Amino acid sequence: MTVEADRARSVPAAPEAHPPHALSGEHPALVGEASVRVDCSTGVGPVSRMWTSFGYDEINWTYTPTGKQTLTKIGGFGDRPYHVRPHYVFCSGTGFGLPHWGNGNVYHEDADGNPFYDFAIADQVYDAIVGAGHHPLVELAFTPLDLVPEEAKREFPFENSPTAYSGYEAGWWSYPPKDYARWGELVAALAAHCLERYGAQEVSQWLWELWNEPDIFYWRGTPEQFYELYDVTSRAIRQVLPEARVGGPTVTGGSRGVPFLRGFLAHCAESGTALDFVSFHTKGSAFRPWRVYGPLGAPAPERQSPSTLKMLREVRRLLDVVGEFPQYADLPCVVDECDASVPAHWGVYDNFNFNYRNTEYYAVFQAKLMKKLHDLNAVSPAQVSHATTWSFYFEGERYFEGTRALVTTSGIDKPVLNAYRMFARLGDERLAATSSAAWPLSALDDAGTGMAEEVDVLATRAEDGQVSVLVWRHVDDQYATAEGPTTVTVRLENVPADVTGFDVDHWRIDHDHSNAHTVWQGLGAPQDPTPEQVTAIRERAGLERHESSRRIAVAGAQVELSTDLPLPSVSLLVLTPVR
């Protein structure tokens, strides 16, 4: 085989075009045009900025050069600190990072069985997060090797193999620690160390959380054992940090999550254990099969896409459970894994359905999801405060591997990161806004596995009167195509009397804007790009303007402008008042 032929086989195949369709099997008419109305006189509550949070499994990549660069990049465009949640701080190991694995290697016992602690790796992790201007969401997990109960080593099926480290990495870490008192001492020691290293003012901004997804295989104990461990953990943190915010139980959005969450809240209500936030997760899809093991870049055996409906239904179900407990209904709900698909570390060479993570589709999906979660908050007995994307970066991957990451190889931004740049430009007050082609939240229980094509809007106002309008076109089908764009008319109504005009700035994410992936594809999808090619890709990786800045006049207390939205795409219109 020639080098050229081998290279061609390694490039993900582009999916063939076909007519758009809803995931219910219907073939709806395309949205040919839409009208958006923004009422500048009507605020409808605060914008929670729930997107200011991300997390990842690979804790040891936090402090690599690319990890630090990515943290700093987000700190640079973010309008406030993000909460950053890595897994595995208490797991034992060498500090060598692997996909879906890592370790902080904090807890040890000497030859006489006496505990001692090593914070060298934890310091590097939290130094990088705090140094970039963010706050840790400390996930206190999992069981260190020296606290693994002996029955775990007997019960857990594991066969030594040169492709796996040991039974510990394979699953011993998921067992309840054999000594809850020593676990509590470990938690207290970490809290005291962080207080000394970072100071009370910084640590007061952190969130402290026990474990991860204890309703499934991450916890190989009973619910009651978990409740007890939470009591121990909460007391240990509050002993050192009386004002610390402690929460859990980080359950999944699946069928096991609901009863586990209900039982956990009932336990906390009965015991009086401190609970400052409630956490749970949701995922938009789990493609089947996850891994195809076919030729590299081959089409997916079945075209599948993430589902906004699945995520919203799961979040609503868990918010309803929180609402069953009046004493907890006002607590912030942290969806600290809020992801379009799992797992994060597989990509287009495993199953081509993961390709959406490379494209503008993912950026628009995130914009739509954040708005719909705000809609859900407005009608739910409890509210989402954080919607954490479980995304960071992966060492050693190929360009646009398709992993659920914010940047690809060489630290090049994926289109999805530009959605977060858009979010950072939104104001803090939500304005009343409607779209003639929006999917309504009232349709959440209608038939279908994915949200039909829509044009929708999230409008905000800043303290200085600046109005930001986020408007998108999207359907829960990454393979959907359209012959042409949708013409969208945006009208601002009830403009304040002292405003004579607006200076308009317009940013866009679509196939041709803010999209390093399409630039890379246009260069032939090189896996060993020249320095000139890398420069060309980087130049188009950030958030790009769709048009030059311009001024529009107010007439009759309103202004009107229009834009064409391809499928999928999202525009951010920032209108600065002229008085």
Side-chain angles (χ1 to χ4, degrees), residues 265-574:
L265 294 177
H267 167 80
C268 290
E270 180 179 354
S271 65
T273 302
L275 182 66
D276 302 297
F277 64 89
V278 180
S279 56
F280 50 81
H281 299 164
T282 183
K283 309 292 181 179
S285 56
F287 302 138
R288 294 291 187 262
W290 275 352
R291 308 189 79 173
V292 176
Y293 293 101
L296 296 184
E302 178 185 350
R303 290 179 170 181
Q304 300 171 11
S305 297
S307 170
T308 320
L309 297 187
K310 178 180 182 295
M311 299 179 74
L312 293 173
R313 288 166 180 164
E314 290 179 352
V315 172
R316 179 186 61 179
R317 182 169 58 183
L318 292 162
L319 290 176
D320 286 346
V321 173
V322 179
E324 295 173 11
F325 298 83
Q327 64 270 55
Y328 299 135
D330 292 333
L331 293 183
C333 291
V334 179
V335 190
D336 51 12
E337 291 186 26
C338 188
D339 303 308
S341 68
V342 291
H345 59 297
W346 290 345
V348 294
Y349 303 104
D350 298 289
N351 183 327
F352 196 81
N353 285 318
F354 289 116
N355 190 53
Y356 81 88
R357 295 168 170 175
N358 290 324
T359 74
E360 68 277 9
Y361 179 93
Y362 192 18
V364 188
F365 184 97
Q366 290 298 98
K368 177 175 71 172
L369 176 63
M370 297 301 164
K371 189 267 184 180
K372 304 303 184 187
L373 287 172
H374 276 84
D375 290 347
L376 194 61
N377 273 353
V379 298
S380 296
Q383 278 72 53
V384 174
S385 66
H386 295 70
T388 303
T389 177
W390 201 249
S391 305
F392 191 41
Y393 90 102
F394 285 86
E395 284 281 343
E397 70 174 18
R398 291 158 284 197
Y399 281 88
F400 297 99
E401 184 87 18
T403 55
R404 199 176 65 229
L406 302 173
V407 300
T408 189
T409 298
S410 299
I412 294 171
D413 299 354
K414 288 186 176 183
V416 67
L417 194 57
N418 288 318
Y420 288 82
R421 289 188 169 97
M422 285 185 169
F423 299 156
R425 296 172 186 262
L426 295 175
D428 287 326
E429 181 186 23
R430 187 175 178 185
L431 292 174
T434 60
S435 168
S436 63
W439 174 92
L441 192 64
S442 60
L444 186 53
D445 292 317
D446 290 355
T449 57
M451 194 177 293
E453 183 185 347
E454 70 157 10
V455 172
D456 203 2
V457 59
L458 175 63
T460 69
R461 176 169 54 200
E463 286 187 8
D464 61 1
Q466 185 180 77
V467 176
S468 298
V469 181
L470 194 68
V471 59
W472 58 88
R473 182 186 180 195
H474 193 267
V475 60
D476 279 0
D477 181 355
Q478 64 173 311
Y479 298 104
T481 61
E483 292 183 359
T486 294
T487 299
V488 181
T489 302
V490 179
R491 180 181 297 113
L492 271 63
E493 301 175 340
N494 297 318
V495 175
D498 65 334
V499 176
T500 60
F502 288 95
D503 290 330
V504 181
D505 293 289
H506 184 181
W507 287 271
R508 167 68 63 80
I509 306 171
D510 60 22
H511 183 272
D512 299 317
H513 297 86
S514 313
N515 198 329
H517 180 247
T518 52
V519 177
W520 174 74
Q521 285 184 317
L523 293 171
Q527 286 299 342
D528 186 19
T530 65
E532 293 76 16
Q533 288 175 322
V534 171
T535 298
I537 296 168
R538 287 188 185 280
E539 287 176 347
R540 303 294 307 282
L543 185 60
E544 295 184 321
R545 291 181 180 270
H546 186 252
E547 56 182 320
S548 300
S549 299
R550 57 192 174 101
R551 178 167 293 183
I552 57 175
V554 174
Q558 68 179 31
V559 296
E560 185 174 292
L561 47 91
S562 65
T563 188
D564 290 336
L565 291 178
L567 181 69
S569 62
V570 57
S571 276
L572 175 65
L573 300 164
V574 176

Side-chain angles (χ1 to χ4, degrees), residues 69-94:
Q69 291 166 11
T70 304
L71 289 166
T72 301
K73 182 183 299 182
I74 296 170
F77 70 68
D79 62 320
R80 65 192 59 197
Y82 277 55
H83 276 95
V84 183
R85 176 185 184 252
H87 274 341
Y88 301 120
V89 70
F90 284 162
C91 283
S92 302
T94 65

Side-chain angles (χ1 to χ4, degrees), residues 159-210:
E159 184 175 345
N160 286 325
S161 165
T163 60
Y165 272 42
S166 74
Y168 178 71
E169 285 82 5
W172 294 352
W173 52 266
S174 60
Y175 281 78
K178 64 184 179 182
D179 189 325
Y180 277 27
R182 290 192 172 185
W183 172 272
E185 293 166 0
L186 167 61
V187 170
L190 178 65
H193 178 79
C194 291
L195 176 62
E196 179 182 4
R197 188 173 183 85
Y198 304 105
Q201 183 174 355
E202 168 60 31
V203 176
S204 69
Q205 304 298 314
W206 296 17
L207 300 177
W208 302 79
E209 175 185 66
L210 175 64

Side-chain angles (χ1 to χ4, degrees), residues 16-88:
E16 61 187 59
H18 71 101
H21 64 279
L23 297 184
S24 61
E26 300 291 331
H27 289 263
L30 290 174
V31 177
E33 59 182 11
S35 59
V36 167
R37 300 172 61 185
V38 178
D39 186 347
C40 294
S41 67
T42 305
V44 291
V47 177
S48 74
R49 315 201 86 75
M50 60 180 65
W51 48 77
T52 55
S53 179
F54 65 96
Y56 44 93
D57 296 86
E58 299 78 15
I59 189 171
N60 304 104
W61 295 346
T62 306
Y63 47 85
T64 63
T66 301
K68 289 181 178 179
Q69 291 166 11
T70 304
L71 289 166
T72 301
K73 182 183 299 182
I74 296 170
F77 70 68
D79 62 320
R80 65 192 59 197
Y82 277 55
H83 276 95
V84 183
R85 176 185 184 252
H87 274 341
Y88 301 120

